[in-house]
Amino acid sequence: MLGLGEAEWGAVALSLKVSFWATVLSLPLALITAQALARGRFWGKSALNLAVHLPLLMPPVVTGYLLLVLFGTQGPLGRFFALFGVEFAFRWTGAALAGAIMGFPLMVRAVRLALEAVDGRLEDAAGTLGASRARVYLTITLPLMAPGIAAGAILGFAKAMGEFGATITFVSNIPGQTQTVPTAIYTFLQVPGQEGAALRLIVVSILLSAGALIASELLAARMRRRLGR
Amino acid sequence: MNVEIDITHGFDGLTLRVEAEVKGGLTAVFGPSGAGKTTVLNIVAGLIRPDAGRVCVNGRVLVDTGAGVFLPPAKRRVAVVFQEARLFPHLSVERNLLYGAKSRDGLADMVDLLGLGALMTRAPGTLSGGEAQRVALGRALLSDPELLLMDEPLSALDRARKQELMPYFERLRDEARLPILYVSHDVEEVAQLADQVMLLRGGQMQALGPVAQVFAGEGMAPEISRDMAAAVLEVSIAGYDARDGLTELRLGGTPLWLPGQAGELGHRLRLRIDARDVMLSETEPQGISALNILPVTVREVRAGPGSGALVALDHDGHRLMARITKRSVRRLGLEPGKRLFAVLKTMAVAARG
């Protein structure tokens, strides 16, 4: 299909794997962070807000460098995770981490907006009906946020799919190991005679992005119908 | 069944001060907007923490600031029907009803009682205001509360929907054997539904007692917007004139006539007499179509902001109110102690065995 070669398929498969894990693992954290930012009252809230949004504003190469310093084999967090057998630098796991961090601010923003749109009076009503706070969250807050959570997840996934700067800085561009679709396109464009491969991957990128957008629109429409809006 | 409320709470620059003990039945928390009615309800429900005081239901302490007790809403067994229904939009009517229920046991009866059978699979967004409020009431009752709070549950509805819901509320009051606190600023609702009234003004509890008694009290008039001013009287049924189809009532020593057969001989009946339906005359009117003419004494004249004035009247110890123009006040020379005749239309609002 599409006449993709083995290296190109490898990049597509790796990108999907990296983006999937980046999304799945950062989503719960995004829910907690959004909850804290939207409703929490604690010291250091603005600092947290800044830290979450920093990757959106910094040059990605800086984020990649900081990841290398912190999560590299000699970095403090890198050594910590090595105790559990998890390594990041120059591994696909590192690409997932880079994608997760770059997509995180987008995800938190979408989830936070959804949370702020939830009518607190419905949560109060659930409380007066005897529901514990955990039950209120699971049965009222979360379902009412669902369209925003889905939007945030798709945004995060798309961001991870497209991540370039931080990824190439942190995990380099090793074919079959850390070469994602964007870094593969970059490589193919550097080599004379590889424009065909680059073009095929560009088409795949466009199809995946459009697919994600259409999926998110359909999902949001279905959820809105279910919420009777 | 009893509810003890003794709270002090600052809100909107006012101090709310309520000290009351309420037995079973429906107690209307009545007063103008901004009087603190909803704040009282929210404190009892646990949605607001009072500055000081305690609330007990059937001896169970819900909040006691002195003892550092504050039960969260979920542990209070106090259900609330809010002004805006607050149905969960992502759940069907049936799942809304069962949200606070421990089992499906009471569901069938509740569906019958509230006429919800045809709505069960519907989404809340597709319900009319009256239907949504019925579902909200069923949902509250199915959570098996010890106390039911209702916060102006009819005020978002039009007149026809109100009339449609009132009978359900009456049945609930009579059958549920559950104390109800019912916030309202509507005399019509209070007169029809309430067993007793807690009168609030500017955060202060002004009176607590049976409806007719509180409505007869001094200082009642300003609580009520001019169009809503009314007297609520308890009368007994003295007879029925089959030829004309009129029920004879006794108010003090004077007969009053009410169209239709209002109930059994000797039964008590509650009347609402709107102030705008009372005319005043210096001499006893002769040759007039009105059947109900009472001799009254002026107790108080209160000028309104516009052209109108509210006159408090006394008939044999019963308090009536008339809304007339300031010009008529001047022409009739109305002042406390003046004797007059009141010509009135009456409306029976609730039969009480």
Side-chain angles (χ1 to χ4, degrees):
Chain A
M1 204 176 81
L2 293 165
L4 292 185
E6 200 179 321
E8 297 151 41
W9 267 121
V12 171
L14 185 73
S15 261
L16 289 172
K17 179 163 94 170
V18 160
S19 305
F20 173 79
W21 286 108
T23 309
V24 166
L25 294 179
S26 60
L27 193 58
L29 214 57
L31 285 176
I32 294 168
T33 308
Q35 183 82 23
L37 289 177
R39 296 191 171 171
R41 260 180 280 162
F42 55 92
W43 188 88
K45 187 168 156 177
S46 353
L48 176 66
N49 194 33
L50 187 69
V52 165
H53 285 90
L54 219 45
L56 201 62
L57 308 168
M58 285 194 305
V61 64
V62 174
T63 306
Y65 174 74
L66 290 176
L67 282 173
L68 202 53
V69 170
L70 289 171
F71 287 91
T73 41
Q74 297 308 311
L77 290 167
R79 283 191 207 164
F80 174 75
F81 279 102
L83 297 176
F84 306 97
V86 180
E87 285 182 48
F88 291 105
F90 308 108
R91 308 286 175 104
W92 75 268
T93 47
L97 179 62
I101 285 186
M102 296 301 287
F104 198 64
L106 300 174
M107 223 182 246
V108 169
R109 282 182 87 84
V111 172
R112 181 177 173 172
L113 280 177
L115 180 61
E116 284 169 351
V118 170
D119 188 346
R121 296 175 307 170
L122 294 176
E123 297 169 303
D124 282 349
T128 64
L129 291 166
S132 64
R133 288 180 67 168
R135 181 164 176 238
V136 172
Y137 185 75
L138 291 175
T139 60
I140 307 295
T141 318
L142 218 45
L144 291 176
M145 285 166 69
I149 294 173
I154 285 167
L155 268 176
F157 185 83
K159 180 72 188 170
M161 283 294 288
E163 219 304 299
F164 179 78
T167 307
I168 204 164
T169 313
F170 184 32
V171 297
S172 185
N173 187 8
I174 309 162
Q177 289 183 48
T178 63
Q179 189 172 65
T180 59
V181 171
T183 54
I185 292 173
Y186 175 75
T187 307
F188 290 137
L189 287 176
Q190 300 299 306
V191 183
Q194 294 283 356
E195 290 85 358
L199 196 62
R200 286 193 290 275
L201 283 180
I202 287 168
V203 170
V204 169
S205 284
I206 293 172
L207 288 178
L208 284 174
S209 309
L213 193 66
I214 291 167
S216 79
E217 291 291 324
L218 289 177
L219 199 62
R222 223 183 94 187
M223 286 173 172
R224 272 198 297 274
R225 263 204 310 282
R226 223 172 56 123
L227 296 181
R229 289 191 208 142
Chain B
M1 293 188 291
N2 83 331
V3 182
E4 292 163 60
I5 302 171
D6 180 359
I7 47 171
T8 308
H9 185 72
F11 78 107
D12 294 351
L14 292 172
T15 301
L16 179 68
R17 180 81 196 96
V18 172
E19 189 181 348
E21 186 176 348
V22 173
K23 304 273 181 223
L26 191 146
T27 303
V29 180
F30 180 69
S33 40
K37 307 185 295 289
T38 297
T39 307
V40 173
L41 226 63
N42 283 333
I43 287 173
V44 175
L47 299 174
I48 294 180
R49 210 181 270 258
D51 293 342
R54 53 184 260 138
V55 177
C56 294
V57 174
N58 298 335
R60 209 160 51 89
V61 178
L62 302 185
V63 55
D64 185 342
T65 54
V69 176
F70 179 83
L71 286 188
K75 297 218 157 80
R76 294 198 170 199
R77 298 191 62 198
V78 172
V80 190
V81 176
F82 298 96
Q83 191 174 341
E84 350 69 40
R86 299 197 194 179
L87 299 180
F88 305 131
H90 57 301
L91 302 179
S92 68
V93 164
E94 179 171 357
R95 291 185 59 200
N96 264 282
L97 285 170
L98 289 170
Y99 189 84
K102 294 197 175 46
S103 72
R104 300 177 65 93
D105 288 352
L107 184 64
D109 286 345
M110 191 60 65
V111 168
D112 277 352
L113 176 75
L114 295 173
L116 301 174
L119 308 178
M120 296 300 270
T121 57
R122 297 258 296 270
T126 67
L127 301 178
S128 73
E131 288 167 340
Q133 212 49 285
R134 259 150 59 203
V135 175
L137 178 60
R139 182 178 71 174
L141 292 172
L142 283 169
S143 72
D144 192 25
E146 283 184 16
L147 169 66
L148 180 64
L149 307 178
M150 301 176 90
D151 187 5
E152 308 209 14
L154 297 176
S155 67
L157 307 179
D158 61 41
R159 241 195 117 66
R161 294 285 156 278
K162 271 186 198 179
Q163 289 307 326
E164 169 196 314
L165 268 169
M166 288 273 216
Y168 292 110
F169 287 8
E170 288 181 315
R171 276 176 76 182
L172 161 71
R173 177 197 64 206
D174 299 336
E175 291 174 20
R177 289 189 298 277
L178 173 77
I180 303 169
L181 288 184
Y182 186 104
V183 163
S184 178
H185 63 251
D186 184 324
V187 184
E188 191 181 336
E189 283 169 44
V190 173
Q192 184 165 344
L193 296 173
D195 296 304
Q196 53 223 311
V197 180
M198 178 194 295
L199 178 60
L200 278 182
R201 186 206 297 160
Q204 301 294 308
M205 192 175 90
Q206 304 273 313
L208 173 66
V211 179
Q213 190 185 313
V214 172
F215 271 70
E218 292 299 333
M220 193 62 199
E223 309 316 324
I224 307 163
S225 69
R226 284 173 305 151
D227 287 337
M228 298 302 286
V232 177
L233 304 171
E234 301 270 2
V235 297
S236 58
I237 297 174
Y240 177 65
D241 183 333
R243 191 177 53 144
D244 294 335
L246 292 173
T247 300
E248 184 184 352
L249 310 167
R250 285 278 158 200
L251 182 68
T254 318
L256 280 180
W257 299 94
L258 197 67
Q261 189 160 11
E264 299 285 316
L265 195 71
H267 276 199
R268 306 284 293 172
L269 198 63
R270 188 178 287 174
L271 296 180
R272 186 180 90 242
I273 303 171
D274 289 336
R276 60 177 173 226
D277 289 341
V278 177
M279 279 190 290
L280 298 176
S281 168
E282 275 191 304
T283 54
E284 181 161 11
Q286 302 289 329
I288 183 171
S289 67
L291 291 172
N292 298 313
I293 298 168
L294 297 174
V296 293
T297 310
V298 175
R299 286 215 307 217
E300 193 186 351
V301 179
R302 203 185 301 257
S307 61
L310 210 50
V311 185
L313 305 160
D314 180 275
H315 166 77
D316 227 352
H318 297 282
R319 184 180 163 103
L320 295 174
M321 282 194 281
R323 189 183 162 214
I324 60 176
T325 59
K326 283 178 186 161
R327 178 181 291 180
S328 302
V329 170
R330 205 170 54 241
R331 237 176 22 200
L332 294 173
L334 295 189
E335 55 185 38
K338 186 172 173 75
R339 294 174 164 278
L340 292 164
F341 292 88
V343 181
L344 38 110
K345 274 189 196 166
T346 58
M347 185 182 246
V349 291
R352 299 281 157 140

